[in-house]
Amino acid sequence: MKRKKVFPCMFCIYFAILIFLAGCGKDDSQTITTPEGKVTVTTKNDTGKETVKIETKEGSLTVKTGSHTISEAELGVPVYPGAQVVSSGQIDETKNNAPGVSATYLMTTNDNYDKVVAFYKANLKKVEQSMNHIMGDEKIAMFTIGKEGDMKNIQIFAKTSGGPTNINITKITTKWIDQLFTKKNYGR
């Protein structure tokens, strides 16, 4: 039970360090010792692109800001043509010697919302769940593909009044998810 309380607290500390160091504007690496272990925070600034990596014994968190490219192979779903990645983040964690990865990519395009939604409807395979709604002044579409342990979630959103269309793609690949939801832990 102690670990369940400690990890969220440590994550908040890591995130605060991330924000602090992200503003420094230079390459740097620091190791901080806490009661729970060592934390290494590395920042790299490369002409408008910044990468911050936080490493602990449980895994690592990497956040990239600034425009960069991504491939369909890396993303696991088609990349909308002409969309620019404005930020991305990845968490690698190991539990019981089994790795888990969660990554998110935020992209933007000037193409209209309906065109982007039509692209993903036509190009995604084996969609498990989908929705397309207007909530207030936001249009929102969501597609989920894959199963527990290898899942991708595609969210498309834009203002009803127009402007850029944003695409947020999250992928979760875990080897330890089945261990988490075992009969021992949850009666399964």
Side-chain angles (χ1 to χ4, degrees), residues 93 95 97-101 149-150 173-180:
E93 185 176 8
K95 290 185 180 178
N97 295 322
V101 176
D150 186 18
T173 308
T174 58
K175 304 287 188 237
W176 47 262
I177 196 76
D178 291 331
Q179 294 174 12
L180 182 63

Side-chain angles (χ1 to χ4, degrees), residues 74-75 88-91 101-105 169-173:
E74 184 180 358
L75 195 56
S88 64
Q90 180 168 318
I91 298 175
V101 176
S102 175
T104 188
Y105 303 89
I169 299 177
T170 302
K171 66 178 189 175
I172 302 171
T173 308

Side-chain angles (χ1 to χ4, degrees), residues 1-14 36 58 93 95:
M1 289 303 281
K2 183 179 177 186
R3 180 178 170 162
K4 287 183 182 180
K5 293 179 184 176
V6 170
F7 188 76
C9 179
M10 288 305 299
F11 187 79
C12 290
I13 292 169
Y14 304 158
E36 288 79 22
E58 280 112 7
E93 185 176 8
K95 290 185 180 178

Side-chain angles (χ1 to χ4, degrees), residues 35-82:
E36 288 79 22
K38 290 183 179 183
V39 179
T40 301
V41 180
T42 306
T43 61
K44 184 174 178 93
N45 192 336
D46 183 21
T47 316
K49 297 177 185 178
E50 187 147 27
T51 302
V52 178
K53 185 171 187 174
I54 301 169
E55 299 173 275
T56 71
K57 64 183 177 187
E58 280 112 7
S60 66
L61 165 68
T62 303
V63 177
K64 295 179 182 179
T65 61
S67 183
H68 54 281
T69 59
I70 187 166
S71 68
E72 182 174 337
E74 184 180 358
L75 195 56
V77 297
V79 177
Y80 186 79

Side-chain angles (χ1 to χ4, degrees), residues 109 111-114 116-117 133-141 155-167:
T109 179
D111 287 352
N112 75 45
Y113 171 87
D114 293 327
V116 176
V117 171
H133 293 288
I134 296 177
M135 299 172 73
D137 67 340
E138 290 275 335
K139 294 180 181 181
I140 302 169
Q155 299 172 4
I156 303 160
F157 47 100
K159 296 279 186 197
T160 56
S161 58
T165 300
N166 295 303
I167 306 160

Side-chain angles (χ1 to χ4, degrees), residues 88-132:
S88 64
Q90 180 168 318
I91 298 175
D92 297 303
E93 185 176 8
T94 300
K95 290 185 180 178
N96 302 326
N97 295 322
V101 176
S102 175
T104 188
Y105 303 89
L106 178 60
M107 297 179 281
T108 189
T109 179
N110 287 324
D111 287 352
N112 75 45
Y113 171 87
D114 293 327
K115 184 176 179 180
V116 176
V117 171
F119 171 83
Y120 280 102
K121 277 184 179 179
N123 290 287
L124 292 175
K125 297 179 174 105
K126 299 182 181 178
V127 174
E128 297 290 324
Q129 296 178 356
S130 67
M131 68 164 232
N132 192 350

